[in-house]
Amino acid sequence: MGNDFKKLKIVKDDAWLEPVAREVYERYARYLSRKKQIENDYGSLLKFADAHNYFGIHYCSTDKGWYYREWAPRARDLYFFGDFNNWQRTSHRMELKENGVWEIFLPEEIYADRLVHESRVKVLVHGENGWYERIPVYITRVVQDEETKAFSGQLWFPEKKFNWRGDKFSIGQLDELYIYECHVGMAQEKEAVGTYVEFAENILPRIKTQGYNAIQMMAVAEHPYYGSFGYHVSNFFAPSSRFGTPEELKALIKKAHSMGIAVIMDIVHSHTVKNFLEGINEFDGQPGLYLHEGERGDHPSWDSKLFDYGKTEVLRFLLSNVKYWMREFHFDGFRFDGVTSMLYFHHGYIGDWNQDAFFRDGVEWDAITYMQLANALIKQVNRHAVSIAEDVSGMPGLCNQIKHGGIGFDYRLGMGIPDYWTKVLKEKKDEEWNVWELWDVMVNRKFDIKTVAYAESHDQALVGDKTLAFQLMDANMYDHMGVEDHNMTTERGVSMHKIIRFFTLTLGGEAWLNFMGNEFGHPEWIDFPREGNNWSHWYARRQWSLVDNPNLKYKFLNEFDKEMLALVQDNKILSAGYPRQLWMDDWHKTIVFERNGLVFTFNFHINISPESYEVPVPTEGNYQVVFSSDAPAYGGYGRLDADVLYPAEKDADGNWKIKIYNINRTALVFKRVED
């Protein structure tokens, strides 16, 4: 190894990593070794990630028939059955081939009219744990019987392949990402499960009009329990049939692309359901196989099972899954769920993060190698595709290039920001907010690491927590959201909702994320149908009629969000680099900074609105307000004349300043007017 471990770029760029330079290099070396092994055995990483074209059920034009293959090395017997053989469980025994692969061939001359589109299938696995009817691991569609509630695989052989012609969109054409996090099933107002078709028809136009240029789709892969929000995946290659057909999902994605909207999949490779009948747990009849055995295979908080990323077939399974969604459905990238849990055996449940915690104590090296391989594969399939890590640990190198010693993600989620807003709103009075703390939470990050900023996501909207709007206004949202209702709580809530989100957007990251409905302050929480709520869909929907009602204040928040995004997009604020702090005034709760020529002022004070308030500006000239959260169109009081010019004057120290009306609970943006 010599001194090679000292040459990696992330070590050279960060002196803090020098004591663990060897560990950083070893992380990189493990990746290189695994990748070389894969290339030697399979030819390339791309070919390695073709398991979905080998396993599962596929028609072979050469042999004129269908092959079904499954990896189950410790099973005693496997039997393929379904509609095609009148559900005779043991009439079609599969044959054990090399490397634990079971196979059966069904000739076209016999089964042409039996193995047909939409027919249902299962596999009977005889293992050490007994006889279990299972769903083929690589199946591409799973459906649930309405009467028995049992799941089964479904053959999906549509007569015509989906026509992707004209789908020329590339996420690479987007300078900055404005992500709309969404769940198809709860995206409609009706008290029922929404569909891909309804989402494409009703929701995509709203997203486009609002100014978002990417959607992050939750709950895409099949999951037996709807209330898991899609995070207990059972069938990794099957888009959820609750929402429609695979072609309808493809049509949704194609339509989004035609509107200039990228589609990012919320992919769950951090764990899987325990279920025997629906999932992959103990698929060959014994613990392990795709998952770790014993306690190491159990997630203590999620009631789920954990992958064994050290196994070659597990890597093939997961990497093929990544490639499948990109090639078959044209997804533009992924948000990887539960990255912190994957990185460490302790799943992130520790006190202090330090060099030992990041690189020596309880680190799951196999999972890190998997993530490096996944990110390398993503770029090979589509060099413009993006990968986003849901991580709270701040693992060094998470979003650095692999060749520099990193793990290869493009973005990390700024998960500390929404946690901070929740904590502040719950524990502090408005007058106790500290502007230095506010600033530090937003900018205390490495600016060469891209962060997705957000004030709230689906996490804050779940039962047991509250959205920003509900934190701010609570029960008053039920009775005092009328345009003419001047309730102090809702008026304070509307003002704070706007500036909290705007402050986070302009300072918190290099991309922006919003969960659907939060842009207009959607009331209440998310609670999926379950026994405890009599299987109601009331809280598993989005009430668009609220924002469409001209008599309610939701329209103000929605319009503000739209114009806020437009301002930031037009001025490329997210990619503008480190903000220049101009003024901090904790007495008046005021923060002033400059980004890309715009001067942002935030006054968080509860009631003080000083006139002739001096604000530093970068250069001489006249300045004008180009954006105000206090505008009547956004539910404000219109206390500022947008046509007034503010001439910059030098103070005694030679600094340029303008005098403004510094309105409380308001964000103002000034721009120098060209002479």
Side-chain angles (χ1 to χ4, degrees):
M1 184 183 297
N3 290 320
D4 288 347
F5 64 89
K6 298 180 180 179
K7 297 178 181 178
L8 288 174
K9 189 175 188 300
I10 67 169
V11 176
K12 290 193 292 185
D13 290 350
D14 189 350
W16 189 82
L17 291 176
E18 288 181 3
V20 288
R22 187 178 296 276
E23 285 81 358
V24 175
Y25 181 83
E26 288 173 350
R27 179 171 76 183
Y28 178 54
R30 275 187 289 270
Y31 159 76
L32 291 178
S33 176
R34 199 66 158 113
K35 184 169 179 285
K36 183 178 181 180
Q37 178 190 6
I38 288 170
E39 291 169 345
N40 288 339
D41 293 343
Y42 294 87
S44 69
L45 186 60
L46 278 172
K47 291 180 180 178
F48 180 70
D50 273 335
H52 57 290
N53 293 323
Y54 178 77
F55 292 107
I57 304 157
H58 301 283
Y59 178 77
C60 177
S61 58
T62 303
D63 297 336
K64 303 295 183 183
W66 291 267
Y67 282 99
Y68 167 43
R69 300 184 184 95
E70 203 73 74
W71 180 55
R74 298 169 300 179
R76 297 171 183 172
D77 296 290
L78 261 68
Y79 299 89
F80 188 39
F81 70 110
D83 288 335
F84 72 93
N85 70 351
N86 295 317
W87 296 92
Q88 298 299 311
R89 297 164 86 227
T90 58
S91 65
H92 287 67
R93 186 179 186 276
M94 300 175 69
E95 183 180 356
L96 180 61
K97 301 290 187 178
E98 295 180 350
N99 302 317
V101 176
W102 294 78
E103 178 184 285
I104 189 171
F105 177 72
L106 302 171
E108 183 178 21
E109 60 183 3
I110 299 176
Y111 294 95
D113 59 348
R114 298 196 222 172
L115 286 171
V116 295
H117 181 55
E118 295 187 331
S119 60
R120 301 190 182 195
V121 295
K122 284 190 176 183
V123 57
L124 179 65
V125 180
H126 177 205
E128 189 176 284
N129 62 353
W131 297 77
Y132 283 96
E133 296 181 2
R134 309 296 296 261
I135 296 173
V137 171
Y138 284 81
I139 198 76
T140 58
R141 183 164 168 82
V142 172
V143 292
Q144 185 176 24
D145 187 278
E146 292 186 5
E147 294 184 5
T148 67
K149 303 303 180 184
F151 290 86
S152 60
Q154 186 175 52
L155 300 182
W156 201 252
F157 304 147
E159 188 174 335
K160 291 184 179 180
K161 292 190 67 175
F162 183 79
N163 182 9
W164 284 106
R165 189 178 299 121
D167 185 37
K168 299 179 180 179
F169 173 86
S170 170
I171 193 171
Q173 68 195 50
L174 304 179
D175 296 325
E176 300 172 336
L177 285 180
Y178 298 84
I179 305 168
Y180 199 81
E181 185 185 34
C182 53
H183 184 287
V184 167
M186 59 170 288
Q188 307 302 314
E189 186 148 0
K190 64 180 183 179
E191 292 183 58
V193 178
T195 67
Y196 299 124
V197 172
E198 290 171 325
F199 189 93
E201 291 179 353
N202 304 328
I203 311 305
L204 281 181
R206 288 182 181 270
I207 295 169
K208 177 66 176 179
T209 299
Q210 201 67 15
Y212 293 89
N213 61 13
I215 58 175
Q216 182 175 293
M217 294 185 68
M218 305 175 65
V220 175
E222 193 60 81
H223 43 290
Y225 180 46
Y226 187 45
S228 76
F229 227 143
Y231 289 117
H232 276 194
V233 175
S234 53
N235 314 103
F236 286 78
F237 292 84
S240 180
S241 60
R242 285 185 183 87
F243 314 135
T245 69
E247 283 66 41
E248 288 167 344
L249 173 57
K250 292 174 183 178
L252 185 164
I253 294 171
K254 185 177 179 180
K255 181 174 181 180
H257 286 170
S258 72
M259 302 168 74
I261 298 173
V263 185
I264 298 167
M265 178 180 173
D266 195 346
I267 197 166
V268 184
H269 284 180
S270 49
H271 63 137
T272 185
V273 291
K274 287 183 174 180
N275 308 36
F276 278 8
L277 300 184
E278 295 87 10
I280 62 177
N281 186 19
E282 296 191 21
F283 186 82
D284 66 350
Q286 294 185 47
L289 195 62
Y290 290 98
L291 313 170
H292 280 299
E293 296 185 42
E295 291 185 7
R296 186 172 169 184
D298 294 322
H299 197 291
S301 301
W302 297 348
D303 192 32
S304 56
K305 301 296 292 185
L306 301 172
F307 286 102
D308 183 350
Y309 302 100
K311 288 184 178 178
T312 297
E313 289 301 338
V314 174
L315 287 179
R316 284 193 77 193
F317 174 74
L318 295 174
L319 291 173
S320 297
N321 193 237
V322 168
K323 184 177 178 181
Y324 168 78
W325 290 114
M326 294 182 73
R327 285 279 173 85
E328 187 68 23
F329 289 87
H330 290 204
F331 277 101
D332 301 292
F334 302 96
R335 178 264 202 188
F336 280 78
D337 171 68
V339 166
T340 305
S341 178
M342 296 169 71
L343 287 170
Y344 312 99
F345 293 126
H346 51 67
H347 310 299
Y349 301 131
I350 64 171
D352 298 323
W353 292 103
N354 51 46
Q355 289 157 328
D356 284 339
F358 284 132
F359 292 101
R360 298 186 180 116
D361 299 337
V363 182
E364 167 58 294
W365 296 114
D366 289 333
I368 291 177
T369 299
Y370 161 67
M371 285 184 269
Q372 291 171 308
L373 291 168
N375 283 316
L377 175 68
I378 288 168
K379 295 303 183 186
Q380 286 188 30
V381 176
N382 177 1
R383 63 188 179 92
H384 297 297
V386 300
S387 62
I388 304 169
E390 187 205 28
D391 173 60
V392 296
S393 74
M395 164 67 88
L398 186 72
C399 295
N400 291 94
Q401 293 183 49
I402 299 170
K403 66 181 180 181
H404 294 160
I407 298 176
F409 286 100
D410 296 299
Y411 294 87
R412 57 174 287 274
L413 283 177
M415 300 179 70
I417 298 175
D419 290 344
Y420 173 75
W421 287 125
T422 298
K423 181 179 176 66
V424 166
L425 289 172
K426 284 182 177 180
E427 299 179 3
K428 291 186 178 182
K429 298 177 181 179
D430 293 0
E431 55 266 33
E432 295 174 346
W433 290 17
N434 182 283
V435 297
W436 294 100
E437 182 180 87
L438 290 169
W439 175 269
D440 187 61
V441 168
M442 295 301 137
V443 303
N444 186 17
R445 66 182 191 277
K446 297 185 69 175
F447 272 71
D448 61 335
I449 302 300
K450 291 184 178 180
T451 297
V452 178
Y454 59 108
E456 52 185 338
S457 69
H458 72 274
D459 287 326
Q460 285 70 43
L462 291 169
V463 165
D465 208 337
K466 295 180 179 180
T467 62
L468 278 180
F470 220 45
Q471 291 277 7
L472 290 162
M473 295 176 274
D474 215 85
N476 286 275
M477 297 188 76
Y478 296 121
D479 302 312
H480 298 288
M481 286 298 280
V483 169
E484 301 301 327
D485 190 334
H486 300 296
N487 174 272
M488 289 181 62
T489 299
T490 56
E491 293 197 356
R492 174 249 184 185
V494 168
S495 297
M496 297 298 284
H497 190 271
K498 290 182 293 185
I499 61 175
I500 286 173
R501 290 168 62 85
F502 192 41
F503 188 68
T504 306
L505 170 62
T506 53
L507 282 177
E510 290 68 43
W512 173 250
L513 180 138
N514 166 70
F515 180 70
M516 62 178 186
N518 286 354
E519 69 275 13
F520 65 83
H522 197 286
E524 301 173 338
W525 48 79
I526 299 168
D527 188 13
F528 283 90
R530 55 185 173 85
E531 188 175 359
N533 63 18
N534 294 317
W535 303 103
S536 170
H537 285 83
W538 180 261
Y539 294 110
R541 63 193 184 112
R542 296 285 89 177
Q543 299 181 58
W544 303 106
S545 59
L546 295 176
V547 70
D548 293 338
N549 189 332
N551 298 314
L552 297 178
K553 293 176 181 175
Y554 297 103
K555 69 174 184 179
F556 294 141
L557 297 178
N558 194 69
E559 186 64 19
F560 176 82
D561 186 84
K562 176 183 175 182
E563 295 303 318
M564 168 184 85
L565 293 185
L567 175 85
V568 172
Q569 288 173 359
D570 291 345
N571 292 278
K572 298 291 185 290
I573 297 301
L574 296 187
S575 54
Y578 196 86
R580 177 183 173 188
Q581 186 187 102
L582 298 176
W583 186 246
M584 302 288 283
D585 180 357
D586 197 49
W587 177 259
H588 292 104
K589 304 300 178 190
T590 295
I591 297 174
V592 184
F593 61 91
E594 180 267 334
R595 292 195 85 177
N596 213 21
L598 298 185
V599 176
F600 296 82
T601 72
F602 287 86
N603 181 345
F604 291 93
H605 206 285
I606 61 172
N607 55 23
I608 295 180
S609 302
E611 297 182 12
S612 299
Y613 186 85
E614 289 191 342
V615 170
V617 291
T619 63
E620 62 181 322
N622 292 319
Y623 288 77
Q624 190 173 22
V625 174
V626 293
F627 190 72
S628 168
S629 66
D630 190 55
Y634 314 139
Y637 301 104
R639 289 170 283 180
L640 207 64
D641 185 349
D643 295 326
V644 171
L645 293 180
Y646 299 84
E649 300 176 355
K650 275 189 177 182
D651 64 11
D653 297 321
N655 300 311
W656 294 102
K657 293 184 177 180
I658 58 175
K659 293 181 179 179
I660 68 168
Y661 181 19
N662 186 20
I663 306 169
N664 71 303
R665 287 178 176 160
T666 295
L668 301 174
V669 183
F670 296 86
K671 187 175 184 179
R672 185 178 181 276
V673 179
E674 297 297 330
D675 297 331

